[in-house]
Amino acid sequence: MTHPFLDLAPLSAARFAAIEDRVARLLGTEQDVVIMQGEALLPLEGAIRGTAGPGTVALNVITGPYGQTFGDWLRDCGARVIDLAVPFHTAVTADQIRQAFAEHPEIDFVSLVHAEAATGNTNPVAEIGEVVKAHGALFYLDAVASIGAEPVLPDAWGVDLCVIGAQKAMGGPAGVSAVSVSERAWTRMAANPRAPRRSYLSLLDWKERWIDGGRKALLHAPAQLEMLALEACVERIEGDGLDAVMGRHRAAALSTRAGAVALGGGLEPYVYDATEAAPVATTLRAPAGVVASEVVARALASDPALPLAAGGGALAKEMIRVNHYGVDATVGVVRGCVAALGVALAEKGLGVDVEGALGAVDAGWR
C-alpha cells in the first residue's frame, strides 16, 4: 500500500539546512540556529547542561513551572543558583533583575521563560535583556510558547540561547525544536568540561560535526516527518505574515479576557494586569467555591474539541486555561470557549451573561 507518510525520499542535508535558515529568518537572527530532533525539552536541557557547571552562578527567574525545572537542572550541573520567584499571576520586572545583580554581582548566567503558557504570564524580555547585557551575563531564554504569538528577537535583546518549539503559536509539530546560539555561548560550551559530547543532549556535536563542517553531513537520520511538518509550518507563517499571525494571537487574548470579565459569575483573569498577560493562552481564576477542573470537564462535555484545560497540579482547583494558540487563535474558538464556560458555571448556580460575554468577545477581537 502507499501512504503519504511512508516511502518518502530521505531528507537531504541541504534541505535540512534550508529549514534551519527559514527558522533563523523567523527569529531575525544572525546567530547559528540548530534544529534539534526532539520536543523542546531537548534543547532546553541541552543548552543548560552545555553552558552551566561548577563555578556558574545562575539567576533563575521563576514565573511558572518551567522556571522551577530550569533551577533543578542548573543545580544538577553543579551551578550555584539564586532563584528569583514572583507570583504566577504577574511578571518579573527589569528592576527586580537589576536588584538581583546588585545583591549578587557574581551572577554570570540568567535563565528566563518568555511566556508561561501554563500560568498565562509573559515577561518583558527586551528590558530584562538590557540589564543582563550591562552585567555581561549569559542570557538563556525559553521562547517555546511565545514564538509566533509575540515578538521574539534574540539578537536585539542580547539573548545567547533562545529555544523555540513549533507546537504552540506556530501551529506546527511537537517533535522538533530549535535553538539559536551566540558565539559567546559556543565559547562557553567549548570551555565547559561537563558539556555533553557524543550525546543526544549535545549542542557541541551539532556545532563541531554539522555547522563547522559546512552543514554537509547530518549527525544522524533526521525525524523526517517532523522536519517536513516544520517546513510547512514556517512556510504557512511566511505566507500569512508573522505580524498577522501574532495579531491573531493578540486578538484572541484580548477577546478571551473581555469575554470572561463580561460573563460574570465570579470568573476573572488569573493574570491581573493585561500588559503582563501572554497572548499565547489566557488563564482564568475560577469563582470562589468552584473547582476549576470540574468546570472544564463540564465545558468539554459540550464540545471536546475546545482548547480548554485546568491548571496543572495544585492549580487544577483554581485555574482554567484557554489555549487559543495556533489554529485555535480564532474568534470562533474563543466564542465557543466562553459560551461553554458560561453553561458550566450556570449549572453551578452562578449568574452569568453568556450573550453579553459573546458580544464582548466580538468587540474585543481587534
Side-chain angles (χ1 to χ4, degrees):
M1 62 174 290
T2 60
H3 192 283
F5 293 164
L6 302 176
D7 305 320
L8 299 174
L11 193 72
S12 68
R15 183 83 170 270
F16 192 104
I19 298 171
E20 282 185 336
D21 292 341
R22 294 178 88 159
V23 172
R25 287 195 294 272
L26 181 68
L27 288 169
T29 185
E30 297 297 323
Q31 298 177 4
D32 291 324
V33 169
V34 178
I35 296 180
M36 301 290 281
Q37 302 297 282
E39 199 270 339
L41 281 173
L42 175 62
L44 285 169
E45 182 174 358
I48 281 180
R49 295 196 180 277
T51 52
T56 300
V57 181
L59 175 63
N60 180 52
V61 181
I62 302 175
T63 58
Y66 280 100
Q68 294 171 327
T69 298
F70 300 160
D72 292 340
W73 287 340
L74 286 161
R75 290 183 179 89
D76 190 53
C77 289
R80 179 160 72 90
V81 181
I82 299 158
D83 285 327
L84 172 55
V86 302
F88 288 178
H89 62 260
T90 187
V92 72
T93 67
D95 283 342
Q96 289 173 303
I97 303 294
R98 191 176 290 109
Q99 182 61 33
F101 274 111
E103 295 174 2
H104 302 279
E106 67 275 22
I107 291 169
D108 63 356
F109 185 102
V110 175
S111 56
L112 176 71
V113 178
H114 187 185
E116 287 268 12
T119 51
N121 55 36
T122 191
N123 293 302
V125 183
E127 298 170 19
I128 291 169
E130 291 180 4
V131 178
V132 176
K133 184 176 181 180
H135 287 270
L138 203 73
F139 194 8
Y140 163 99
L141 183 69
D142 171 355
V144 174
S146 53
I147 183 67
E150 55 188 306
V152 177
L153 302 168
D155 291 11
W157 296 343
V159 178
D160 295 287
L161 296 155
C162 182
V163 177
I164 65 170
Q167 70 267 33
K168 288 188 168 66
M170 288 177 66
V176 288
S177 47
V179 54
S180 64
V181 187
S182 72
E183 285 301 322
R184 289 202 319 153
W186 283 132
T187 299
R188 186 142 167 176
M189 275 185 238
N192 181 8
R194 293 198 177 190
R197 290 170 169 81
R198 297 292 173 175
S199 162
Y200 206 58
L201 283 171
S202 177
L203 285 169
L204 277 176
D205 286 357
W206 285 97
K207 166 68 170 169
E208 296 168 357
R209 299 169 57 196
W210 169 245
I211 296 171
D212 291 349
R215 300 193 297 177
K216 301 296 185 184
L218 288 161
L219 274 65
H220 46 69
Q224 177 154 321
L225 293 177
E226 287 81 1
M227 288 295 296
L228 294 174
L230 175 62
E231 182 181 47
C233 160
V234 176
E235 184 175 354
R236 183 168 63 183
I237 292 172
E238 292 171 347
D240 291 345
L242 180 58
D243 287 344
V245 175
M246 292 190 295
R248 286 199 296 270
H249 286 84
R250 183 170 58 251
L254 290 171
S255 60
T256 301
R257 193 177 183 92
V261 171
L263 186 62
L267 190 68
E268 60 183 25
Y270 187 84
V271 178
Y272 297 160
D273 190 337
T275 63
E276 296 176 345
V280 69
T282 297
T283 49
L284 305 170
R285 192 179 300 275
V290 174
V291 177
S293 57
E294 294 177 359
V295 174
V296 169
R298 178 61 190 87
L300 290 176
S302 63
D303 185 354
L306 292 174
L308 291 168
L315 295 176
K317 293 183 178 180
E318 64 180 19
M319 180 190 287
I320 297 167
R321 262 194 3 240
V322 185
N323 295 317
H324 47 64
Y325 52 72
V327 296
D328 289 325
T330 70
V331 67
V333 167
V334 174
R335 284 175 60 90
C337 289
V338 170
L341 290 173
V343 170
L345 291 174
E347 290 185 358
K348 294 285 186 181
L350 299 172
V352 294
D353 180 6
V354 174
E355 289 304 315
L358 294 178
V361 168
D362 293 340
W365 191 271
R366 62 182 186 275

